[in-house]
Amino acid sequence: MNNGKLAIYGGPKIRKKPLPYRKLFDEEELENVKRVFKDSWREGVDFGYQGKYEKLYTDKFCDFQGGGFADAVSSGTAAVYLALKAFDIEPGNDVIVSPVTNPGSVTPAVIQGMNIVIADSAPDSFNIGPDEFEKALTSDTRAAILTHLGGQPIDIEPIIEIAKSRGIKVIEDCSQAHGALYKGERVGRFGDIAASSTMFSKTLATGGCGGLVYMQNEDYYWLIRSLADRGKHFRLPDFDFRDTGQCLFPALNFNLDELSCAIGLSILSRLQSIIDKRLEITAKIDTSLEASSVVFPCRSRDDCKPSPFFHTVGVAVDKLKVSKKEFAKAVAAEGIWINPHYSQLVSEWKWLHKYVKNGLKTPNARRFRDRTFNLLFNEKFSDGEVEDIISSVVKVESFFKKDR
Ligand SMILES: *Cc1c(COP(=O)(O)O)cnc(C)c1O
């Protein structure tokens, strides 16, 4: 049975109105930005960076995390770059990276002259698992940059244990998992340093572009501060930023400005409610998927509470007459946000191949990618949007399901 021609063949769409735009940056953020201006007018100094708003923002973030130190920087890529730089690893050594991630989580290692070793994901997951981590180790492994993908926490504890025993430094890339919990603790608290992006589409955002470095170790904190600001020796008792002779080493400038920190501060007050709303939506999608015989929920680990960035659902590809990609394209054509070509598999990036040391194959990650698709959504989705997602899936599968 089918209820009308598929939109991909020119039929009417299930979702006629555009899906609701996120509008993360709202009146409260505008008010906070105005505050930065008004403070500067009152104080008679133009706003810059490393001021009051960065302090408020990073303090609030550390409260949210349950302690630690944080430095606001210019992008997620910069945050990963700085975290890796802090470990002072000799070029030519190996760095393990996640099988599925953003280029910003990998290229800082290339830029610093390291060889890339791509670990596979755990079965039925986009995230690296402890066994896959172990398999990726070489005698030259010095660090690992591990992404909690799509808001799902990695099974991080056993990985940290292995890494510690071998003196390997771990960076958690939390760009897609702000506020996610692993065994009751926020991600970012497990590795040596955590890096994350706070660009506009991330769950915690500070404006168009931004990043955050977070750690438990105070020495790393001061080192990151210097690495992110031309080697300034902030810890010197008589530190004077005008005395450029005091710099510790040559370093670039990755500062985040006060306007961005003011936006981040404002979003942080709502971060938990944003995450809760997103969790509510993904739970509803999963429950509604009972109406589908082809698409099914991918459950999270029992000991974790994700911070959903996108929502991965499984596709019973054996039940389809077409490829998963064709199926996903047809669902997208109904007016639903889906990425049918999920291209964040590191092993498939040709431009990276010459920097990769291992055999490039991550079969678990590929298999999972080929049997899932990612639903894109935001915290403004209501029940009506969830219904349209499910109706689209059910409509498309009625066309493409194999006859028994
Ligand atoms: C977005 C993202 C990055 C890059 O962050 P930018 O702020 O865009 O530089 C790095 N890693 C992951 C996992 C990301 O999602």
Side-chain angles (χ1 to χ4, degrees):
M1 203 208 77
N2 54 49
N3 38 355
K5 203 172 167 188
L6 292 188
I8 201 167
Y9 300 140
K13 288 181 181 186
I14 291 276
R15 177 76 193 185
K16 293 183 182 70
K17 277 193 300 186
L19 288 165
Y21 124 76
R22 192 180 178 202
K23 205 181 185 201
L24 179 68
F25 303 138
D26 214 328
E27 292 296 336
E28 290 163 56
E29 286 63 49
L30 182 59
E31 283 313 308
N32 252 24
V33 165
K34 283 186 186 164
R35 250 174 230 135
V36 181
F37 274 79
K38 288 180 180 166
D39 287 0
S40 81
W41 296 342
R42 200 181 48 245
E43 290 158 12
V45 193
D46 285 322
F47 59 82
Y49 52 87
Q50 288 171 2
K52 173 167 78 185
Y53 286 90
E54 176 162 357
K55 175 90 173 75
L56 288 168
Y57 164 61
T58 51
D59 282 356
K60 197 174 176 110
F61 180 78
C62 292
D63 278 352
F64 176 83
Q65 288 287 107
F69 302 87
D71 188 26
V73 297
S74 53
S75 72
T77 308
V80 173
Y81 174 89
L82 290 164
L84 190 60
K85 196 83 188 156
F87 301 147
D88 198 21
I89 299 165
E90 286 281 306
N93 281 300
D94 298 349
V95 174
I96 294 175
V97 301
S98 283
V100 187
T101 191
N102 178 283
S105 197
V106 176
T107 45
V110 176
I111 301 293
Q112 290 178 42
M114 322 275 173
N115 307 312
I116 302 298
V117 176
I118 311 168
D120 200 0
S121 61
D124 298 320
S125 170
F126 281 136
N127 279 339
I128 184 174
D131 293 344
E132 292 71 25
F133 180 76
E134 195 130 43
K135 275 183 213 150
L137 292 169
T138 66
S139 55
D140 297 329
T141 308
R142 296 290 177 273
I145 308 167
L146 307 179
T147 300
H148 300 282
L149 197 87
Q152 301 289 339
I154 300 169
D155 185 11
I156 191 94
E157 233 168 35
I159 293 178
I160 298 293
E161 211 168 290
I162 301 164
K164 279 221 170 92
S165 74
R166 303 185 48 141
I168 294 165
K169 302 291 184 194
V170 175
I171 297 169
E172 287 179 80
D173 184 339
C174 302
S175 302
Q176 299 187 5
H178 297 288
L181 296 169
Y182 173 85
K183 299 189 178 172
E185 264 198 74
R186 301 280 185 204
V187 298
R189 292 183 53 83
F190 298 90
D192 295 276
I193 302 183
S196 57
S197 171
T198 59
M199 56 89 102
F200 67 95
S201 69
K202 300 289 155 75
T203 306
L204 168 62
T206 50
C209 216
L212 196 60
V213 188
Y214 170 73
M215 58 243 116
Q216 312 303 311
N217 178 312
E218 189 173 356
D219 291 332
Y220 276 144
Y221 168 73
W222 290 109
L223 179 55
I224 293 285
R225 291 277 313 267
S226 299
L227 287 168
D229 193 7
R230 290 153 286 174
K232 285 181 191 163
H233 197 174
F234 293 105
R235 252 178 150 173
L236 212 62
D238 59 347
F239 169 67
D240 175 0
F241 75 92
R242 283 159 303 201
D243 182 356
T244 43
Q246 289 178 345
C247 288
L248 288 165
F249 39 66
L252 299 172
N253 177 349
F254 294 108
N255 282 306
L256 191 69
D257 71 68
E258 287 285 279
L259 289 176
S260 300
C261 292
I263 293 175
L265 178 65
S266 169
I267 305 287
L268 261 183
S269 326
R270 302 188 258 134
L271 182 58
Q272 191 57 57
S273 70
I274 291 171
I275 296 168
D276 291 344
K277 190 76 216 299
R278 292 173 85 107
L279 280 166
E280 215 177 278
I281 293 161
T282 54
K284 275 184 192 152
I285 293 173
D286 283 353
T287 307
S288 309
L289 283 178
E290 282 162 21
S292 165
S293 55
V294 170
V295 178
F296 55 88
C298 298
R299 299 281 177 205
S300 305
R301 298 171 52 87
D302 290 339
D303 54 3
C304 292
K305 193 169 170 193
S307 167
F309 182 58
F310 48 71
H311 191 51
T312 304
V313 293
V315 182
V317 288
D318 311 340
K319 292 187 182 169
L320 289 175
K321 288 189 272 196
V322 292
S323 70
K324 182 215 81 175
K325 205 185 245 180
E326 293 308 307
F327 179 77
K329 271 190 196 163
V331 176
E334 295 298 329
I336 301 306
W337 292 341
I338 283 186
N339 183 356
H341 313 273
Y342 193 48
S343 64
Q344 310 240 342
L345 258 70
V346 179
S347 61
E348 293 181 352
W349 298 340
K350 286 206 176 67
W351 54 267
L352 188 73
H353 285 183
K354 71 179 201 200
Y355 307 103
V356 175
K357 194 169 168 179
N358 64 342
L360 293 169
K361 290 202 177 65
T362 53
N364 289 347
R366 201 164 55 213
R367 186 173 191 282
F368 192 63
R369 190 268 313 269
D370 292 342
R371 283 167 174 71
T372 57
F373 58 74
N374 296 330
L375 291 168
L376 311 177
F377 72 103
N378 65 53
E379 56 276 10
K380 300 287 167 65
F381 279 35
S382 65
D383 289 354
E385 278 78 44
V386 173
E387 272 165 35
D388 287 345
I389 292 171
I390 303 307
S391 303
S392 301
V393 165
V394 169
K395 177 183 172 187
V396 172
E397 77 184 18
S398 75
F399 271 80
F400 290 146
K401 217 160 81 168
K402 277 183 190 160
D403 313 314
R404 266 173 266 219

CSV table of all heavy atoms in Angstrom, one decimal, residues 74-80 100-106 145-150 173-177 195-202 208-212 309-310 344, ligand 1:
chain,number,residue,atom,x,y,z
A,74,SER,N,39.8,30.0,19.3
A,74,SER,CA,39.1,30.5,18.1
A,74,SER,C,38.3,29.4,17.3
A,74,SER,O,37.4,29.8,16.5
A,74,SER,CB,40.1,31.2,17.2
A,74,SER,OG,41.2,30.3,16.9
A,75,SER,N,38.6,28.1,17.5
A,75,SER,CA,37.8,27.1,16.7
A,75,SER,C,38.1,25.7,17.4
A,75,SER,O,39.0,25.6,18.2
A,75,SER,CB,38.3,27.0,15.3
A,75,SER,OG,39.6,26.5,15.1
A,76,GLY,N,37.3,24.8,17.0
A,76,GLY,CA,37.5,23.4,17.4
A,76,GLY,C,38.8,22.9,16.9
A,76,GLY,O,39.6,22.2,17.6
A,77,THR,N,39.1,23.2,15.7
A,77,THR,CA,40.4,22.7,15.1
A,77,THR,C,41.6,23.3,15.8
A,77,THR,O,42.5,22.6,16.1
A,77,THR,CB,40.4,23.2,13.6
A,77,THR,OG1,39.2,22.8,12.9
A,77,THR,CG2,41.6,22.6,12.9
A,78,ALA,N,41.5,24.6,16.2
A,78,ALA,CA,42.5,25.2,17.0
A,78,ALA,C,42.6,24.5,18.4
A,78,ALA,O,43.7,24.3,18.9
A,78,ALA,CB,42.2,26.7,17.2
A,79,ALA,N,41.5,24.1,19.0
A,79,ALA,CA,41.5,23.5,20.3
A,79,ALA,C,42.3,22.2,20.2
A,79,ALA,O,43.1,21.8,21.1
A,79,ALA,CB,40.1,23.3,20.8
A,80,VAL,N,42.0,21.4,19.1
A,80,VAL,CA,42.7,20.1,19.0
A,80,VAL,C,44.2,20.4,18.7
A,80,VAL,O,45.0,19.7,19.3
A,80,VAL,CB,42.1,19.3,17.8
A,80,VAL,CG1,42.9,18.0,17.5
A,80,VAL,CG2,40.6,18.9,18.1
A,100,VAL,N,35.6,8.0,12.4
A,100,VAL,CA,34.6,8.8,11.9
A,100,VAL,C,34.7,10.1,12.7
A,100,VAL,O,34.5,10.2,13.9
A,100,VAL,CB,33.2,8.2,12.0
A,100,VAL,CG1,32.1,9.1,11.3
A,100,VAL,CG2,33.1,6.8,11.6
A,101,THR,N,35.0,11.2,12.0
A,101,THR,CA,35.1,12.5,12.7
A,101,THR,C,35.2,13.6,11.6
A,101,THR,O,35.0,13.4,10.4
A,101,THR,CB,36.3,12.5,13.6
A,101,THR,OG1,36.3,13.7,14.4
A,101,THR,CG2,37.7,12.5,12.9
A,102,ASN,N,35.5,14.8,12.1
A,102,ASN,CA,35.6,16.0,11.3
A,102,ASN,C,37.1,16.2,11.0
A,102,ASN,O,37.9,15.8,11.8
A,102,ASN,CB,35.1,17.2,12.1
A,102,ASN,CG,35.2,18.5,11.4
A,102,ASN,OD1,36.2,19.1,11.3
A,102,ASN,ND2,34.0,19.0,10.9
A,103,PRO,N,37.4,16.7,9.8
A,103,PRO,CA,38.9,16.9,9.5
A,103,PRO,C,39.6,17.7,10.6
A,103,PRO,O,40.8,17.5,10.8
A,103,PRO,CB,38.8,17.7,8.2
A,103,PRO,CG,37.5,17.3,7.5
A,103,PRO,CD,36.6,17.1,8.7
A,104,GLY,N,38.9,18.6,11.3
A,104,GLY,CA,39.5,19.4,12.3
A,104,GLY,C,40.0,18.6,13.5
A,104,GLY,O,40.8,19.1,14.3
A,105,SER,N,39.6,17.3,13.6
A,105,SER,CA,40.1,16.4,14.6
A,105,SER,C,41.3,15.6,14.2
A,105,SER,O,41.9,14.9,15.0
A,105,SER,CB,38.9,15.5,14.9
A,105,SER,OG,39.1,14.8,16.2
A,106,VAL,N,41.7,15.8,13.0
A,106,VAL,CA,42.8,14.9,12.4
A,106,VAL,C,43.9,15.8,11.9
A,106,VAL,O,45.1,15.5,12.2
A,106,VAL,CB,42.3,14.1,11.3
A,106,VAL,CG1,43.4,13.3,10.6
A,106,VAL,CG2,41.1,13.1,11.8
A,145,ILE,N,43.6,11.1,19.4
A,145,ILE,CA,42.5,12.1,19.4
A,145,ILE,C,41.2,11.4,19.1
A,145,ILE,O,41.0,10.8,18.1
A,145,ILE,CB,42.8,13.1,18.3
A,145,ILE,CG1,44.2,13.7,18.4
A,145,ILE,CG2,41.8,14.3,18.3
A,145,ILE,CD1,44.7,14.5,17.1
A,146,LEU,N,40.4,11.3,20.2
A,146,LEU,CA,39.2,10.5,20.1
A,146,LEU,C,37.9,11.3,20.2
A,146,LEU,O,37.6,12.0,21.1
A,146,LEU,CB,39.3,9.4,21.2
A,146,LEU,CG,40.6,8.7,21.3
A,146,LEU,CD1,40.6,7.7,22.5
A,146,LEU,CD2,40.9,7.9,20.0
A,147,THR,N,37.1,11.1,19.1
A,147,THR,CA,35.8,11.8,19.0
A,147,THR,C,34.6,11.1,19.6
A,147,THR,O,34.4,9.9,19.2
A,147,THR,CB,35.6,12.1,17.5
A,147,THR,OG1,36.7,12.9,17.0
A,147,THR,CG2,34.3,12.9,17.3
A,148,HIS,N,33.9,11.7,20.5
A,148,HIS,CA,32.6,11.2,20.9
A,148,HIS,C,31.6,11.6,19.8
A,148,HIS,O,31.1,12.7,19.8
A,148,HIS,CB,32.2,11.8,22.2
A,148,HIS,CG,33.1,11.6,23.4
A,148,HIS,ND1,33.2,10.4,24.0
A,148,HIS,CD2,34.1,12.4,24.0
A,148,HIS,CE1,34.1,10.5,25.0
A,148,HIS,NE2,34.6,11.7,25.0
A,149,LEU,N,31.4,10.7,18.9
A,149,LEU,CA,30.7,11.2,17.6
A,149,LEU,C,29.1,11.2,17.8
A,149,LEU,O,28.5,10.4,18.4
A,149,LEU,CB,31.0,10.2,16.5
A,149,LEU,CG,30.6,10.9,15.2
A,149,LEU,CD1,31.7,11.7,14.6
A,149,LEU,CD2,30.1,9.9,14.2
A,150,GLY,N,28.6,12.3,17.3
A,150,GLY,CA,27.1,12.4,17.2
A,150,GLY,C,26.5,12.6,18.6
A,150,GLY,O,25.3,12.4,18.8
A,173,ASP,N,37.8,14.6,21.8
A,173,ASP,CA,37.2,15.6,21.0
A,173,ASP,C,35.7,15.6,21.3
A,173,ASP,O,34.9,14.7,21.0
A,173,ASP,CB,37.4,15.3,19.5
A,173,ASP,CG,36.8,16.4,18.6
A,173,ASP,OD1,35.9,17.2,19.1
A,173,ASP,OD2,37.3,16.5,17.5
A,174,CYS,N,35.2,16.6,22.1
A,174,CYS,CA,33.9,16.7,22.6
A,174,CYS,C,33.0,17.6,21.7
A,174,CYS,O,31.9,18.0,22.2
A,174,CYS,CB,33.8,17.2,24.0
A,174,CYS,SG,34.8,16.1,25.1
A,175,SER,N,33.4,17.9,20.5
A,175,SER,CA,32.7,18.9,19.7
A,175,SER,C,31.3,18.5,19.4
A,175,SER,O,30.4,19.4,19.3
A,175,SER,CB,33.4,19.0,18.3
A,175,SER,OG,34.7,19.4,18.5
A,176,GLN,N,31.0,17.2,19.4
A,176,GLN,CA,29.6,16.8,19.1
A,176,GLN,C,28.9,16.2,20.3
A,176,GLN,O,27.9,15.5,20.2
A,176,GLN,CB,29.6,15.8,17.9
A,176,GLN,CG,30.2,16.3,16.6
A,176,GLN,CD,30.1,15.4,15.5
A,176,GLN,OE1,29.5,14.3,15.6
A,176,GLN,NE2,30.7,15.7,14.3
A,177,ALA,N,29.5,16.5,21.5
A,177,ALA,CA,29.0,15.8,22.6
A,177,ALA,C,29.0,16.6,23.9
A,177,ALA,O,29.1,16.1,25.0
A,177,ALA,CB,29.8,14.5,22.9
A,195,ALA,N,39.1,18.8,23.8
A,195,ALA,CA,39.0,19.9,22.8
A,195,ALA,C,37.6,19.9,22.3
A,195,ALA,O,37.1,18.8,22.1
A,195,ALA,CB,40.0,19.7,21.7
A,196,SER,N,37.1,21.1,22.1
A,196,SER,CA,35.8,21.0,21.4
A,196,SER,C,35.5,22.3,20.6
A,196,SER,O,36.1,23.3,20.8
A,196,SER,CB,34.6,20.8,22.3
A,196,SER,OG,34.6,21.7,23.3
A,197,SER,N,34.7,22.1,19.6
A,197,SER,CA,34.3,23.2,18.8
A,197,SER,C,33.1,23.8,19.4
A,197,SER,O,32.2,23.1,20.0
A,197,SER,CB,33.9,22.7,17.4
A,197,SER,OG,33.3,23.7,16.6
A,198,THR,N,33.0,25.2,19.3
A,198,THR,CA,31.7,25.8,19.7
A,198,THR,C,31.2,26.7,18.6
A,198,THR,O,30.7,27.8,18.8
A,198,THR,CB,31.9,26.7,21.0
A,198,THR,OG1,33.0,27.7,20.8
A,198,THR,CG2,32.4,25.8,22.2
A,199,MET,N,31.4,26.2,17.3
A,199,MET,CA,30.9,27.0,16.2
A,199,MET,C,29.4,26.9,16.2
A,199,MET,O,28.8,26.1,16.9
A,199,MET,CB,31.5,26.5,14.9
A,199,MET,CG,31.4,25.0,14.6
A,199,MET,SD,29.9,24.6,13.7
A,199,MET,CE,30.6,24.4,12.0
A,200,PHE,N,28.7,27.6,15.3
A,200,PHE,CA,27.3,27.9,15.4
A,200,PHE,C,26.4,26.7,15.4
A,200,PHE,O,25.3,26.7,16.0
A,200,PHE,CB,26.8,28.9,14.4
A,200,PHE,CG,26.9,28.4,13.0
A,200,PHE,CD1,25.8,27.8,12.4
A,200,PHE,CD2,28.1,28.4,12.2
A,200,PHE,CE1,25.9,27.3,11.1
A,200,PHE,CE2,28.2,27.9,11.0
A,200,PHE,CZ,27.1,27.4,10.4
A,201,SER,N,26.8,25.6,14.8
A,201,SER,CA,25.9,24.5,14.7
A,201,SER,C,26.1,23.5,15.8
A,201,SER,O,25.3,22.5,15.9
A,201,SER,CB,26.0,23.8,13.3
A,201,SER,OG,27.2,23.1,13.2
A,202,LYS,N,27.1,23.7,16.6
A,202,LYS,CA,27.3,22.7,17.7
A,202,LYS,C,26.3,23.0,18.9
A,202,LYS,O,25.8,24.1,19.0
A,202,LYS,CB,28.8,22.8,18.2
A,202,LYS,CG,29.8,22.5,17.1
A,202,LYS,CD,29.8,21.1,16.7
A,202,LYS,CE,30.3,20.8,15.3
A,202,LYS,NZ,31.7,20.9,15.0
A,208,GLY,N,29.6,32.4,15.4
A,208,GLY,CA,29.9,31.7,14.2
A,208,GLY,C,31.0,30.7,14.3
A,208,GLY,O,30.9,29.6,13.8
A,209,CYS,N,32.1,31.1,15.0
A,209,CYS,CA,33.2,30.2,15.1
A,209,CYS,C,33.7,30.3,16.6
A,209,CYS,O,33.7,31.3,17.2
A,209,CYS,CB,34.3,30.8,14.2
A,209,CYS,SG,35.3,29.5,13.4
A,210,GLY,N,34.2,29.1,17.1
A,210,GLY,CA,34.8,29.2,18.4
A,210,GLY,C,35.2,27.8,18.8
A,210,GLY,O,34.9,26.8,18.2
A,211,GLY,N,36.0,27.7,19.9
A,211,GLY,CA,36.5,26.4,20.4
A,211,GLY,C,36.8,26.5,21.9
A,211,GLY,O,36.8,27.6,22.5
A,212,LEU,N,37.0,25.4,22.5
A,212,LEU,CA,37.3,25.4,23.9
A,212,LEU,C,38.3,24.2,24.2
A,212,LEU,O,38.1,23.1,23.7
A,212,LEU,CB,35.9,25.1,24.6
A,212,LEU,CG,35.8,25.3,26.1
A,212,LEU,CD1,36.1,26.8,26.4
A,212,LEU,CD2,34.4,25.0,26.5
A,309,PHE,N,23.7,15.0,18.9
A,309,PHE,CA,24.1,16.1,17.9
A,309,PHE,C,23.3,15.8,16.6
A,309,PHE,O,22.7,16.7,16.1
A,309,PHE,CB,25.6,16.0,17.7
A,309,PHE,CG,26.1,17.1,16.7
A,309,PHE,CD1,25.9,18.4,17.0
A,309,PHE,CD2,26.8,16.7,15.6
A,309,PHE,CE1,26.4,19.4,16.1
A,309,PHE,CE2,27.3,17.7,14.7
A,309,PHE,CZ,27.0,19.0,15.0
A,310,PHE,N,23.3,14.6,16.1
A,310,PHE,CA,22.4,14.1,15.1
A,310,PHE,C,21.8,12.8,15.7
A,310,PHE,O,22.3,12.4,16.7
A,310,PHE,CB,23.1,14.0,13.7
A,310,PHE,CG,24.3,13.2,13.7
A,310,PHE,CD1,24.4,11.8,13.9
A,310,PHE,CD2,25.6,13.9,13.5
A,310,PHE,CE1,25.6,11.1,13.9
A,310,PHE,CE2,26.8,13.2,13.5
A,310,PHE,CZ,26.8,11.8,13.7
A,344,GLN,N,32.1,11.4,6.6
A,344,GLN,CA,33.1,11.7,7.6
A,344,GLN,C,33.9,10.5,8.0
A,344,GLN,O,34.5,10.4,9.1
A,344,GLN,CB,32.4,12.3,8.8
A,344,GLN,CG,31.5,13.5,8.4
A,344,GLN,CD,31.9,14.8,9.1
A,344,GLN,OE1,32.6,14.9,10.0
A,344,GLN,NE2,31.4,15.9,8.5
B,1,LIG,C1,33.1,20.6,14.3
B,1,LIG,C2,34.1,19.7,14.7
B,1,LIG,C3,35.5,20.0,14.6
B,1,LIG,C4,36.0,21.2,14.1
B,1,LIG,O1,35.6,22.4,14.7
B,1,LIG,P1,35.7,23.8,14.1
B,1,LIG,O2,35.2,24.7,15.1
B,1,LIG,O3,34.8,23.8,12.9
B,1,LIG,O4,37.2,24.0,13.7
B,1,LIG,C5,36.3,19.1,15.1
B,1,LIG,N1,35.9,17.9,15.6
B,1,LIG,C6,34.6,17.5,15.5
B,1,LIG,C7,34.2,16.2,16.0
B,1,LIG,C8,33.7,18.4,15.1
B,1,LIG,O5,32.4,18.0,15.0
